Amino acid sequence: TPERYAWFYEGRNGWWQYDERTNHEIEDGYRSKKRSFELLIAGYVYIIDLDNMSQMRRSDPSRRRRIKRDLLTATKKGIAGLKIP
Ligand code: V3L
């Protein structure tokens, strides 16, 4: 069955969908009820905190963004920084 939900991180004025690999890693963590875990995103280690629904760079926690799990069809800016034309 096709996935109906996806993971998003916050941008300046909207939400970006995570790339497919990262989306699967977060969904796996979510389904196994992990509270937080680390992921490599574009060369940096980020902490995904599902208790607080945020991501932050491990080496600089001030780089914090909200995240959400929403319908795949939710309004988004694009995927992982790639704008939807
Ligand atoms: N996936 C891909 N790139 C990311 C992610 C992620 N989960 N998290 C951060 N970056 P920070 P607007 C974003 C990128 O949080 O115009 C968007 O993807 C992040 O990219 O300080 O503000 C856009 O490409 C940023 O370039 O660690 O909505 C860009 O911002 C960089 O890592 C602009 O989006 C530092 O983010």
Side-chain angles (χ1 to χ4, degrees), residues 9 11-13 16 18 41 46 55 57 63 65 77 80-81:
Y9 59 95
R12 267 178 302 183
N13 47 1
W16 294 97
Y18 279 91
I41 298 171
Y46 283 86
Q55 67 161 54
R57 210 186 271 194
R63 291 174 176 272
R65 294 169 186 268
K77 298 188 75 173

Side-chain angles (χ1 to χ4, degrees), residues 61-79:
S62 71
R63 291 174 176 272
R64 182 182 177 282
R65 294 169 186 268
R66 294 198 297 156
I67 68 174
K68 68 170 182 173
R69 185 176 188 268
D70 202 349
L71 286 170
L72 196 54
T73 52
T75 303
K76 59 183 170 247
K77 298 188 75 173
I79 301 179

Side-chain angles (χ1 to χ4, degrees), residues 8-19 22 26 39-42 44-46 48 55-58 60 62-65 67 77-83:
F8 302 83
Y9 59 95
E10 199 168 37
R12 267 178 302 183
N13 47 1
W15 295 85
W16 294 97
Q17 191 178 320
Y18 279 91
D19 70 87
T22 308
I26 300 175
L39 282 185
L40 199 60
I41 298 171
Y44 289 95
V45 178
Y46 283 86
I48 304 293
Q55 67 161 54
M56 67 195 100
R57 210 186 271 194
R58 189 177 60 179
D60 182 357
S62 71
R63 291 174 176 272
R64 182 182 177 282
R65 294 169 186 268
I67 68 174
K77 298 188 75 173
I79 301 179
L82 230 56
K83 282 200 176 142

Side-chain angles (χ1 to χ4, degrees), residues 24-62:
H24 274 110
E25 292 185 340
I26 300 175
E27 184 68 13
D28 284 351
Y30 171 77
R31 291 189 187 191
S32 39
K33 303 209 185 309
K34 285 187 187 164
R35 299 174 68 185
S36 73
F37 47 93
E38 293 179 353
L39 282 185
L40 199 60
I41 298 171
Y44 289 95
V45 178
Y46 283 86
I47 297 168
I48 304 293
D49 182 343
L50 294 181
D51 279 343
N52 293 302
M53 290 297 271
S54 66
Q55 67 161 54
M56 67 195 100
R57 210 186 271 194
R58 189 177 60 179
S59 61
D60 182 357
S62 71

